[in-house]
Amino acid sequence: MGKSYLGQPEYDEFFAELNKRKAVVFLHPVRPNAEGLAEYDFPTGIVELTTDTTRAITNMFYHGYPERYPVIRFLISHAGGTLPMVIYRIRNMAKKPEIAKRLPKGVDHYLRQMYFDLAQASVPLIQRALEDIADPQKILFGSDYPFSQVGEKVIDDVMQGIESFEGYDERRRDMIFRENALGLFPRFATAR
C-alpha cells in the first residue's frame, strides 16, 4: 500500500468500510523498493517477502486493527511469514500499556482470529510453529501459483508438505485442503 504498512491512520476509513462489509482481506507481501537497502546477491523474495508480511501484521497489531476491525477476516499468506519466529517479541510489544489497551484480548486471541495459508511454507518446522499460534480451522492450502518462480512445482511442493507432515491426520488434511476454505467462503460449498 505505497510507502506505508497496513495499520497507519491514513487507512482507517478504508478498513472501517471493509469491516462494515465483513470483507475477507488477503494479505500478500510485495518486494520492497530496494532504495536505501544494502544490496545482496540472492533474490529479494527469499527473505524480504516473508519479512514484509510480518512487518504488516506487527504494524496492524501495534495500531489495534484486530480489535478495531473485528469483522474483517484477514487471510495471511506464507503461514504468516516470519511471524512464528518473532511471536515472543510481538507478545512483549503488546505488554506496553499504550499497546495493551489497543489489544485488550491479547495477541494470541487476535492471531487465532486470522486465517493463514501454507503457500511456500509447508515444511515441518513452520507447520509446527503455526500450530502454536493459529486456530486449526483457519489454516488453509495456498500455493503462490502462478507467481512462484518455480511455476507449477510450487503446487506439488505445498501438497507434498501437507501430505507428509506427521502433525496432520487425514481429517486435518481435509480441513486444510477444503473445509477451512469453505468456512471462509461458504458460497463455494456446492462446487466440486
Side-chain angles (χ1 to χ4, degrees), residues 133-149:
I133 64 171
D135 178 339
Q137 295 181 344
K138 295 181 178 175
I139 298 173
L140 311 169
F141 172 80
S143 70
D144 260 0
Y145 180 81
F147 303 105
S148 168
Q149 293 182 351

Side-chain angles (χ1 to χ4, degrees), residues 23-97:
V24 174
V25 174
F26 180 56
L27 183 64
H28 192 281
V30 296
R31 294 188 195 297
N33 184 338
E35 183 180 319
L37 293 177
E39 291 190 32
Y40 38 80
D41 295 330
F42 59 88
T44 59
I46 292 174
V47 173
E48 293 300 328
L49 290 177
T50 54
T51 304
D52 190 66
T53 299
T54 306
R55 284 186 198 111
I57 295 168
T58 304
N59 201 46
M60 289 186 337
F61 274 53
Y62 181 83
H63 290 283
Y65 265 42
E67 178 68 20
R68 291 169 53 213
Y69 308 115
V71 186
I72 295 175
R73 289 157 297 157
F74 287 99
L75 171 53
I76 314 298
S77 60
H78 310 129
T82 59
L83 181 70
M85 301 308 124
V86 297
I87 192 62
Y88 173 84
R89 293 170 182 263
I90 294 170
R91 286 174 179 149
N92 280 340
M93 172 190 77
K95 290 177 184 176
K96 295 181 179 183

Side-chain angles (χ1 to χ4, degrees), residues 72-132:
I72 295 175
R73 289 157 297 157
F74 287 99
L75 171 53
I76 314 298
S77 60
H78 310 129
T82 59
L83 181 70
M85 301 308 124
V86 297
I87 192 62
Y88 173 84
R89 293 170 182 263
I90 294 170
R91 286 174 179 149
N92 280 340
M93 172 190 77
K95 290 177 184 176
K96 295 181 179 183
E98 70 275 13
I99 300 166
K101 71 181 179 183
R102 296 177 204 151
L103 302 170
K105 296 175 185 101
V107 168
D108 293 316
H109 168 81
Y110 299 109
L111 284 173
R112 293 186 71 75
Q113 304 308 306
M114 295 180 163
Y115 291 79
F116 296 88
D117 81 21
L118 291 170
Q120 297 200 52
S122 62
V123 296
L125 175 69
I126 297 170
Q127 289 163 310
R128 280 191 297 273
L130 189 58
E131 289 288 307
D132 285 343

Side-chain angles (χ1 to χ4, degrees), residues 24 73 75 140 180-189:
V24 174
R73 289 157 297 157
L75 171 53
L140 311 169
N180 292 346
L182 293 177
L184 191 56
F185 302 107
R187 69 181 181 268
F188 296 117

